[in-house]
Structure formats: C-alpha cells, structure tokens
Amino acid sequence: MRKALLILLWLIVTVPLGAQTTHRDSVLTQARYLKSIYRTDEAIKLLSSMVQPDAMDEEVLSELADCHFQSGDYESVSGTYLLLSSLAPGSILYKIRLMQASYRLKAYPQSIQTGREVLQLDSIPAVVSYIGDAFRQMEQADSALWYYRKALGMKPVNESVVAKAVNILIMREDYDGAVAIMEPFLAVDPDNATIAPLKGLAL
C-alpha cells in the first residue's frame, strides 16, 4: 500500500514536469522556426510568454535576445544580454552581443567596458577593433589608434582596421606612420582598391 502511494505521488509530481518540459521545447522549436523566416515579432511574443521572473531559463532568454537583435531592438537586446551575462558570467557570446548592442545604442563607454571584459576571457582581434571604433566615435583618437595597432598586431591583413588607423594618421599629417601601417598589408594585397590609394595620398 505504501509503495503504491509513493508511486502515485511520484506520478503526480513528474507528469506535470514532463508536460512542462515538452511544452517548453515545443515553444523553443516554434520560435526558432519563426525567427528563421524573419517573423521575429511572433517569435518574441511566443518566447516572452515563457519568461518567468522567479525562474530564469537561460536558453529561452538567449533565443529572445537573439530575436531582439534580429529585429533591431537594441534596448531590449542590451537588457536581456545584461541579464544573461549575470546568469553566465563566463559567456563570451553574451558579452560580445552586449558590447555590440551598447555600441549601436551609442553607449560607447559601456561598449568599451564590456569589450575589455571579453578580452580578459579571450584575445579576439574583432573585439579589439570594436573597442577602437568606440573610442573613435568618442573622438579619442589616441586610444582608438592604440587599439587599432593592437588589432593589426594580432591580424595584420585587415582592410577595415588598416583604413581606419591610416585615416587617423593622415588627418594628423603623420604620413610616415600611415605608410608604415599600410606596408605589411600591401605586401600581401598590393593592388587593394581601398588601401593602395591611401598610400598614394600619404606619399
């Protein structure tokens, strides 16, 4: 009798949990499909119905943040990835997304801070360049140039970063410095349509 009662109690507890898990997985699958066909508003509505303040589901929140990113709602992206970063402090992806969202919101100091947090976890040239871009937007050319040089030290053949660094140097009339940055790039791609004219201008 006691054994039968225990089995009954186990069924009462586990069956609803199993149903909840099945429903959650079904919602995630449907939301991912909607996102893949760019019906992001519907995906956001569906995922938002799964968000519970007392039980944060990282996978649901991550999908929701990605939908907000796809729809261009960077305020919501920033808030959601900030929450996700607190749930998973070691996640590089969440920090990079937060850095990007902050940049697009023109919250450049926040973008720089988050980018530096990423670099404490991993050396990623694109993140170094992103920090340089944020400093450039804040009109802090020295800091921007420092990060661009660092990014080029990690990945010398990067047309975009070379062009940004060279433009800063040409504006400062540091033509020798501009040529010095361009030479490693042009040694690999001498006829590059962006960098070769800049070398001509510097010369």
Side-chain angles (χ1 to χ4, degrees), residues 80-91 93-96 98 114 117:
T80 310
Y81 276 117
L82 191 60
L83 177 59
L84 282 164
S85 291
S86 69
L87 292 173
S91 172
L93 173 62
Y94 296 158
K95 290 184 187 302
I96 287 175
L98 180 57
T114 310
E117 289 172 12

Side-chain angles (χ1 to χ4, degrees), residues 111-133:
S111 183
I112 290 165
Q113 179 186 332
T114 310
R116 285 171 169 166
E117 289 172 12
V118 172
L119 295 179
Q120 288 175 358
L121 299 171
D122 196 357
S123 298
I124 302 173
V127 172
V128 177
S129 173
Y130 225 99
I131 295 172
D133 290 345

Side-chain angles (χ1 to χ4, degrees), residues 160-172 178 198 201:
S160 173
V161 178
V162 170
K164 289 170 188 173
V166 165
N167 278 315
I168 290 173
L169 291 166
I170 287 175
M171 284 178 64
R172 293 179 161 191
L198 286 173
L201 179 62

Side-chain angles (χ1 to χ4, degrees), residues 10-23:
W10 180 81
L11 287 170
I12 290 169
V13 171
T14 57
V15 169
L17 287 174
Q20 286 175 11
T21 302
T22 302
H23 175 67

